[in-house]
Amino acid sequence: QKEVEQDPGPLSVPEGAIVSLNCTYSNSAFQYFMWYRQYSRKGPELLMYTYSSGNKEDGRFTAQVDKSSKYISLFIRDSQPSDSATYLCAMKGSNFGNEKLTFGTGTRLTIIP
Amino acid sequence: EPEVTQTPSHQVTQMGQEVILRCVPISNHLYFYWYRQILGQKVEFLVSFYNNEISEKSEIFDDQFSVERPDGSNFTLKIRSTKLEDSAMYFCASRGIPGTSNYNEQFFGPGTRLTVL
């Protein structure tokens, strides 16, 4: 079983739709969860960062973590064509001595105008 | 807004040659990282660096790889004898200092695309 599983898509939705992106993980040591956005041939850009189970909202983006189910989600409301990108989930253990990020494969998202 | 920068954006080299990829992390950051992404695959951790020494490295980071912080601003990744399978995007990242709001966040540079022929 892979440490982090993410549906690679591609996912196409019409502009204005709600997008749901998900990752599951198997390593209970993961404590910090991130969502990155990556445009073609660019570096990952941090969108959301969460630690505890529950929801965290930032504008049109909501990150959800369920540690009991080892499941994280990113919701995008009122999706825009500029949201078209690959979305990567990433996670890591505690800060001390285990800093590496483990990424999912990324989900390629296209918002259709 | 401060950002991580990387040079060159694209490096083409012959198999067996040495390459040095350069990064300028965000000023005042103390933790530095290299990741790579082979085309079509996921981003993979290579190495983390703190206080002038490697704090963690992956299985990929073998004896052919080395990192250095030669001065107060640059952070380099050297591949001693490149192989075809080293062709990938290489990303540098840095992390903030304790007590700052973004202490836990790794900020990535735009990457260097390495092509080994």
Side-chain angles (χ1 to χ4, degrees):
Chain A
Q1 184 183 12
K2 291 180 182 175
E3 271 195 302
V4 180
E5 304 241 24
Q6 183 176 8
D7 186 341
L11 179 63
S12 294
V13 300
E15 183 176 354
I18 296 174
V19 176
S20 171
L21 305 167
N22 313 293
C23 285
T24 59
Y25 62 97
S26 58
N27 190 344
S28 299
F30 290 141
Q31 298 294 320
Y32 297 86
F33 305 92
M34 287 132 276
W35 285 95
Y36 284 84
R37 178 173 60 197
Q38 187 178 26
Y39 293 112
S40 182
R41 298 191 180 275
K42 300 290 186 186
E45 171 197 6
L46 183 66
L47 280 178
M48 300 285 286
Y49 176 93
T50 55
Y51 169 68
S52 55
S53 283
N55 293 349
K56 181 179 180 180
E57 194 172 309
D58 184 2
R60 296 184 296 111
F61 298 91
T62 300
Q64 191 173 77
V65 173
D66 182 348
K67 288 187 179 180
S68 63
S69 301
K70 297 190 177 65
Y71 187 87
I72 68 170
S73 300
L74 178 71
F75 298 96
I76 307 174
R77 289 185 300 282
D78 187 24
S79 54
Q80 306 291 311
S82 58
D83 295 328
S84 298
T86 296
Y87 289 79
L88 310 171
C89 65
M91 43 199 81
K92 67 175 185 138
S94 62
N95 278 329
F96 181 73
N98 188 11
E99 303 176 27
K100 69 173 187 182
L101 292 180
T102 300
F103 283 84
T105 52
T107 299
R108 191 150 55 96
L109 173 68
T110 301
I111 307 298
I112 304 164
Chain B
E1 187 173 326
E3 58 183 17
V4 177
T5 59
Q6 291 184 243
T7 55
S9 56
H10 188 195
Q11 173 90 48
V12 181
T13 189
Q14 295 291 324
M15 190 170 57
Q17 295 296 304
E18 174 184 287
V19 293
I20 297 176
L21 309 183
R22 302 180 191 280
C23 168
V24 178
I26 293 173
S27 178
N28 293 329
H29 278 193
L30 298 178
Y31 302 85
F32 313 112
Y33 310 86
W34 284 100
Y35 292 81
R36 78 170 187 191
Q37 185 177 31
I38 295 171
L39 187 65
Q41 297 186 25
K42 65 179 183 178
V43 177
E44 299 175 289
F45 170 79
L46 291 178
V47 65
S48 58
F49 189 86
Y50 169 70
N51 200 26
N52 282 322
E53 59 184 30
I54 291 172
S55 48
E56 191 176 0
K57 61 182 181 179
S58 72
E59 299 161 352
I60 305 167
F61 195 88
D62 61 23
D63 292 344
Q64 293 300 313
F65 291 86
S66 62
V67 289
E68 194 178 30
R69 187 154 162 82
D71 52 44
S73 59
N74 290 286
F75 180 50
T76 62
L77 173 70
K78 181 193 292 186
I79 308 175
R80 212 180 325 275
S81 177
T82 51
K83 307 186 195 68
L84 296 176
E85 54 265 37
D86 293 328
S87 295
M89 281 289 281
Y90 287 81
F91 294 108
C92 173
S94 68
R95 183 159 75 89
I97 57 177
T100 57
S101 59
N102 58 12
Y103 170 58
N104 290 310
E105 302 172 16
Q106 292 183 25
F107 293 88
F108 282 73
T112 292
R113 183 153 61 101
L114 176 65
T115 302
V116 182
L117 302 175

